[in-house]
Structures are given as structure tokens and as C-alpha cells.
């Protein structure tokens, strides 16, 4: 009962802890090539990263959220050429078919129109060398604007200084600095890799390369730092980025990646360990695929994107809160089925509805109490001073114990970097509250409001308010707004 009073005094801040001690942690998520709108897979990574950042902040860490913009390399040159095609279209040229190798989505029409408005017909029919760099920068800026809009619909907001450019790191010599740091430790050498396992690519041939000795840190093979033409590999650029993180004061780093990057984890962790002398720690959270369904049937791809269902389309259909909650109902490393019909279904089988209904039901009880009691009696401070020792029913004690476990759950989920554990906790709490409410229907003595027992009524209303506070506290970690009533 004393723990219930603590819940009421803390309100939605109940569960805030000092576990992190103000330690700096960098959480990087959503990062992907800026070559189009975000798809549902990106959305899962965005929610996992955002909820994890919220969770760590609640547990007392000094969290920095970061988006790494992959704006260097061949893919952004392809983007520039694709935007140039839409630039020509914006100036009146008819584009019948998108050539092989260019990005086909209609979303690039906006970039083409922006480039046409900026440059007019100045680069129409001009050699690629005259416009490629300009159109690359313009197209990347246009795509980032589109991506920010997608993320805003999902309730994910990075500050402008939280977007870190790969091109900027490369331009200031970041790769050379990182490689030099590895060379000083004797971890870079020229060697020849073994052929890849399985069927050999037709163009494979053994050749000397600059390699990072990643096997010294648990990786399966040493990893190339330069391509055959002397250009740096993507891995070399990523090494430089993580070295930059460490030098900005982040010994603890968390990256949220798509499952297709699973083979990249060991080498990146090896590089972080090597560059930081073991002082840096990189945890990678891999997000498995999201299977989009509607009444059990696969959903067809988006016309706007051309090859996938966009995040904005899904959020527009079900709302950001439903999307965010559902993305956290499974471990990030497990595939997730997202069925449009089921995620909006009003039943106990839908965890989003079940948890939100518990909060709405608690709010309804408190509203009804307000019809018979003075507002001053129902403030959290007043309820914390109620005669809570009167709560002795087995179901009431069990519910209080569940509430009291919330701070420990926050700490354990933060330590393991597992925000999905909050979804499980909230479903169990909702089940316990719904169970107590239903018992009151069968047994009048367990009702929350008893006209002939004012002291017991206030104690039970304190319990109801405690449930509402903890549900709201958990939903806040998810970035989900608790509802006051179900419509």
C-alpha cells in the first residue's frame, strides 16, 4: 500500500530512475540511403530506436538521438541521375519509361520540380559533369525533407544537428584519420582474402587489398578497407563515423539496423573495440521484416513508391499510436505480422486496444467518481493520503504489486536495450486491471465506488489512478498518447 502512495505522488514520472547516472549514450536509428521515402521496415527501426532512446532517458542516461545520412557513394549519384530525369520531365519533356538502373518512384517528381524551379532550363541537355554534383546535393536535400515528413507523421523528430552526413565526414578526412589510428596499432595490412564460400562470382579474382585485422576482435575474416579502384569501402566510411562518435564523447553506442545488415555486425563491433582501445561499446539491434497483411492476405505495393509500401501510407491508414505500439509487441529480432484489420480491432486479442481500453476504463471510473466527490478529494495528493491499508483483497494486492514492479522493469529493459518488454508489461497490467473490474461486476463488495464505504472508495480510486499513471508512463516510453475514452 505504501508503494501505491509513491505511484500517486510521482504521477507519470513513476519509474524514472537514476540507473544511467547521466552517462552519455548515442542511439542511431532510421539511417538509410536518402534515395526515397521510408518504408514499413524503416518504420519499425524508427519506433524501436525512438522507444529505446525514451527508455534510456527515463532510466537516467543522457541520450543523443542520431540519423546517419549515407550521402556519399554510388547510390546518391544514381539518385542525382534519377532526379535529372524528373527535372527534364518538370520542364515539359515526356518520360515514357524509367531507364534500367534509375529509381522509378513518383516521389522523385517533387525533387525534379524543385530543381527545375531553382535552375530553370540551365542544365537541360548539358553534360553530366556540369550538373551531377549540384543535382546530387539538391536531390539529397529533397529526399531528406521527404524523410523528415514521414518521420514526423510517426512522431519521430530529430533536431537538425542530429543528422550526421557521411559526405561531411569523408570531406574532412575522417576516413584517413580512422585508418591511421588502426595502422598505429598494427591492425591494417595488405593481404589477399580467401575466395567467398559457395559459388564464386564470375568476376572474382584473388588480389592484394588493404585489410583490417578484424579477426583479432572476434570477426570471422579480416575485412577490406579499399576497393580495387582505390576507393574506400562502405566499411571504411562506417569506421570513420563510429570513430567520430567516440571522439564526440560517446563510449556507449547503439545502432538500430535492418536484418539484412546482420553480417555486418561483428566487423563493426571489432572496429569500435579496436579504435577505442576497448573503451567503446557498440550494441546493434537488428529489426526483422514486417509482413503487411489485410485480413491475412499480403498487401500490394504502393503506387507512389513503385516497389514497396510506404511508411506514410500505413500511418495514414491506422494512425501513429497504433503503428508505434504494434511495432513493439515483438522482439526486434523476430519477424512481425502487421494485419491492418487486426491492429484496429476492438478486442482483447489486440494489445493496442486492450491497453488503451484499460486506461480509458480507469479514466471513466475517475470521471464517475467526480460526480459524487469533490475535486479536491480526487487529486493525486489527496488520494495518496487515503486509507490505503483498506486495500486487502487478493486482486487489489496483486495489482499494487504489479504497479510497484514498474521501476524495476524500466531498469531491466534499459540495461538489456529491450523496449518490447514494456509492451508485455502493459498487457499484463491491463489484464490485471480488467480482471479486477470484472470481479466487481460479479461481487458488489469489490466495486470501485461504494456509496456506504467512503474511505474504502477513496482507497480504490487511488488504485485506479495509480493504474492510469503507470499505463500512461509506459505509453510515454513508446511515444503513444493514452486515451481518456474509447470511441
Amino acid at each position: 500500500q505504501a508503494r501505491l502512495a509513491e505511484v500517486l505522488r510521482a504521477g507519470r514520472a513513476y519509474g524514472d530512475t537514476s540507473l544511467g547516472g547521466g552517462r552519455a549514450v548515442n542511439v542511431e536509428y532510421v539511417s538509410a540511403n536518402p534515395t526515397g521515402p521510408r518504408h514499413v521496415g524503416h518504420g519499425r527501426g524508427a519506433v524501436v530506436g525512438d522507444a529505446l532512446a525514451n527508455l534510456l532517458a527515463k532510466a537516467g542516461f543522457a541520450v543523443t538521438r542520431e540519423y546517419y545520412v549515407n550521402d556519399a557513394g554510388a547510390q546518391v549519384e544514381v539518385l542525382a541521375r534519377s532526379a535529372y530525369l524528373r527535372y527534364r520531365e518538370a520542364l515539359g519533356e515526356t518520360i515514357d519509361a524509367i531507364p534500367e538502373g534509375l529509381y522509378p518512384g513518383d516521389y522523385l517528381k517533387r525533387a525534379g520540380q524543385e530543381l527545375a524551379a531553382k535552375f530553370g532550363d540551365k542544365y537541360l541537355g548539358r553534360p553530366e559533369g556540369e550538373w551531377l554534383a549540384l543535382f546530387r546535393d539538391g536531390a539529397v536535400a529533397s529526399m531528406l525533407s521527404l524523410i523528415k515528413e514521414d518521420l514526423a507523421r510517426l512522431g519521430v523528430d530529430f533536431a537538425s544537428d542530429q543528422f550526421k552526413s557521411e559526405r561531411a565526414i569523408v570531406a574532412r578526412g575522417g576516413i584517413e584519420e580512422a585508418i591511421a589510428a588502426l595502422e598505429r596499432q598494427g591492425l591494417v595490412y595488405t593481404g589477399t582474402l580467401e575466395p567467398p564460400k559457395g559459388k564464386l562470382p564470375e568476376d572474382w579474382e584473388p588480389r592484394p587489398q588493404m585489410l583490417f585485422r578484424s579477426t583479432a576482435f572476434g570477426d570471422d575474416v579480416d575485412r577490406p578497407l579499399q576497393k580495387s579502384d582505390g576507393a574506400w569501402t562502405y566499411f571504411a566510411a562506417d569506421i570513420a563515423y563510429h570513430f567520430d562518435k567516440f571522439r564526440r564523447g560517446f563510449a556507449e553506442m547503439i545502432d538500430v539496423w535492418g536484418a539484412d545488415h546482420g553480417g555486418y555486425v561483428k566487423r563493426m563491433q571489432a572496429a569500435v573495440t579496436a579504435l577505442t582501445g576497448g573503451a567503446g561499446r557498440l550494441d546493434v539491434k537488428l529489426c526483422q521484416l514486417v509482413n503487411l497483411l489485410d485480413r491475412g492476405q499480403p498487401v500490394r505495393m504502393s503506387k507512389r513508391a513503385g516497389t514497396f509500401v510506404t511508411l506514410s501510407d500505413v500511418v495514414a491508414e491506422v494512425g501513429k499510436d497504433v503503428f508505434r505500439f504494434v511495432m513493439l509487441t515483438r522482439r526486434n529480432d523476430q519477424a512481425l505480422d502487421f494485419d491492418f484489420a487486426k491492429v484496429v480491432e476492438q478486442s482483447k486479442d489486440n494489445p493496442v486496444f486492450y491497453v488503451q481500453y484499460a486506461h480509458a476504463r480507469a479514466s471513466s471510473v475517475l470521471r464517475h467518481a467526480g460526480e459524487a466527490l469533490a475535486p479536491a478529494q480526487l487529486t493525486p495528493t489527496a488520494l495518496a493520503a487515503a486509507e490505503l491499508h483498506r486495500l486487502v483483497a487478493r486482486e487489489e494486492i496483486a495489482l499494487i504489486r504489479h504497479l510497484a514492479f514498474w521501476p524495476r522493469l524500466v531498469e531491466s529493459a534499459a540495461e538489456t536495450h529491450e523496449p518490447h518488454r514494456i509492451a508485455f508489461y502493459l498487457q499484463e497490467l491491463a489484464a490485471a486491471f480488467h480482471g479486477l473490474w470484472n470481479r466487481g461486476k460479479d461481487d458488489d463488495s469489490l466495486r470501485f465506488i461504494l456509496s456506504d464505504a467512503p474511505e474504502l472508495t477513496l482507497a480504490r480510486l487511488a488504485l485506479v489512478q495509480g493504474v492510469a499513471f503507470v499505463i500512461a508512463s509506459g505509453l510515454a516510453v513508446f511515444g503513444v498518447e493514452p486515451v481518456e475514452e474509447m470511441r
Side-chain angles (χ1 to χ4, degrees):
Q1 290 101 333
R3 301 290 77 74
L4 177 56
E6 289 177 4
V7 175
L8 293 164
R9 286 192 291 266
R12 291 192 183 191
Y14 186 65
D16 289 7
T17 81
S18 58
L19 172 75
R23 294 203 314 275
V25 57
N26 183 294
V27 185
E28 177 212 330
Y29 52 107
V30 202
S31 306
N33 295 338
T35 52
R38 302 300 81 177
H39 57 59
V40 177
H42 295 136
R44 187 178 191 185
V47 170
V48 169
D50 210 44
L52 179 52
N54 290 339
L55 173 62
L56 290 167
K58 189 173 183 68
F61 291 85
V63 181
T64 293
R65 304 155 195 263
E66 202 154 281
Y67 187 117
Y68 183 44
V69 184
N70 300 118
D71 54 356
Q75 80 282 353
V76 287
E77 293 191 353
V78 173
L79 177 67
R81 296 185 185 101
S82 304
Y84 182 73
L85 190 71
R86 298 300 190 177
Y87 163 77
R88 289 162 43 197
E89 183 179 49
L91 291 173
E93 188 172 330
T94 300
I95 305 298
D96 294 321
I98 306 299
E100 185 79 18
L102 298 185
Y103 295 114
D106 286 350
Y107 57 84
L108 274 169
K109 289 184 176 182
R110 174 166 133 179
Q113 291 164 356
E114 291 170 355
L115 290 165
K118 182 175 182 179
F119 297 117
D121 61 1
K122 180 178 179 180
Y123 294 105
L124 205 57
R126 303 303 301 167
E128 182 177 284
E130 292 185 19
W131 53 260
L132 187 66
L134 286 171
F135 277 54
R136 177 200 63 213
D137 293 345
V140 167
S142 180
M143 289 300 99
L144 278 178
S145 176
L146 179 65
I147 289 167
K148 289 175 184 178
E149 291 171 9
D150 286 348
L151 294 177
R153 293 186 185 98
L154 191 55
V156 175
D157 183 25
F158 291 93
S160 58
D161 62 347
Q162 292 169 327
F163 286 85
K164 299 299 177 183
S165 162
E166 177 187 358
R167 180 172 294 278
I169 292 173
V170 172
R172 65 171 179 261
I175 295 180
E176 289 79 5
E177 290 177 6
I179 302 305
L182 295 174
E183 286 177 327
R184 287 193 292 271
Q185 300 179 64
L187 295 172
V188 175
Y189 69 100
T190 299
T192 302
L193 290 173
E194 294 290 322
K197 295 178 182 179
K199 185 178 179 180
L200 286 180
E202 292 182 4
D203 59 351
W204 186 87
E205 58 181 31
R207 56 183 175 79
Q209 290 178 282
M210 180 189 289
L211 301 173
F212 164 52
R213 205 179 299 277
S214 56
T215 50
F217 302 92
D219 197 5
D220 302 322
V221 296
D222 292 339
R223 302 295 180 176
L225 298 171
Q226 280 186 317
K227 302 175 185 176
S228 56
D229 61 0
W232 296 113
T233 60
Y234 288 121
F235 179 47
D238 287 342
I239 289 175
Y241 171 50
H242 285 79
F243 192 35
D244 176 74
K245 286 188 192 183
F246 182 72
R247 294 199 297 185
R248 285 188 277 125
F250 298 109
E252 189 164 353
M253 314 170 205
I254 303 171
D255 291 358
V256 181
W257 297 348
D260 55 336
H261 289 79
Y264 208 70
V265 175
K266 282 186 179 180
R267 74 188 73 176
M268 203 64 252
Q269 290 176 329
V272 167
T273 301
L275 281 168
T276 66
R281 174 175 174 258
L282 172 64
D283 182 22
V284 178
K285 311 303 288 185
L286 294 174
C287 291
Q288 282 291 345
L289 298 176
V290 178
N291 303 310
L292 278 182
L293 309 168
D294 191 3
R295 293 177 175 81
Q297 299 301 310
V299 174
R300 298 177 64 182
M301 61 190 176
S302 161
K303 293 180 180 178
R304 185 169 73 101
T307 55
F308 54 82
V309 178
T310 66
L311 172 61
S312 62
D313 287 344
V314 177
V315 173
E317 182 72 21
V318 302
K320 80 169 182 66
D321 285 354
V322 167
F323 184 90
R324 289 183 70 114
F325 195 107
V326 171
M327 289 299 115
L328 294 159
T329 55
R330 294 284 184 278
R331 289 176 56 96
N332 55 275
D333 56 3
Q334 295 177 345
L336 186 149
D337 288 343
F338 186 99
D339 192 306
F340 282 92
K342 291 192 173 183
V343 299
V344 296
E345 182 179 83
Q346 295 196 353
S347 77
K348 67 178 182 178
D349 296 327
N350 176 4
V352 188
F353 172 80
Y354 199 54
V355 171
Q356 288 281 32
Y357 187 36
H359 188 274
R361 180 170 266 175
S363 300
S364 175
V365 171
L366 293 168
R367 280 197 304 274
H368 281 102
E371 295 172 3
L373 299 171
Q377 294 177 280
L378 296 176
T379 66
T381 301
L383 292 174
E387 298 178 9
L388 302 181
H389 64 275
R390 294 179 179 275
L391 299 172
V392 294
R394 177 174 52 84
E395 297 89 345
E396 292 170 340
I397 296 299
L399 189 53
I400 294 172
R401 284 178 172 158
H402 206 87
L403 297 177
F405 185 65
W406 173 234
R408 292 172 60 190
L409 189 281
V410 169
E411 290 189 345
S412 60
E415 284 182 316
T416 55
H417 300 166
E418 294 181 332
H420 69 273
R421 293 173 65 176
I422 291 174
F424 300 161
Y425 170 86
L426 290 176
Q427 290 174 72
E428 291 168 0
L429 176 58
F433 179 66
H434 288 310
L436 180 57
W437 190 91
N438 287 326
R439 287 278 286 123
K441 287 171 57 180
D442 300 330
D443 181 350
D444 287 349
S445 69
L446 287 174
R447 288 182 177 275
F448 296 123
I449 301 174
L450 299 171
S451 58
D452 58 346
E455 293 84 3
L456 180 56
T457 292
L458 288 173
R460 287 180 174 170
L461 291 175
L463 179 56
V464 172
Q465 181 64 80
V467 169
F469 276 150
V470 173
I471 289 176
S473 179
L475 291 177
V477 173
F478 282 8
V480 172
E481 189 65 31
V483 299
E484 299 294 323
E485 55 184 324
M486 305 299 286
R487 298 182 185 280

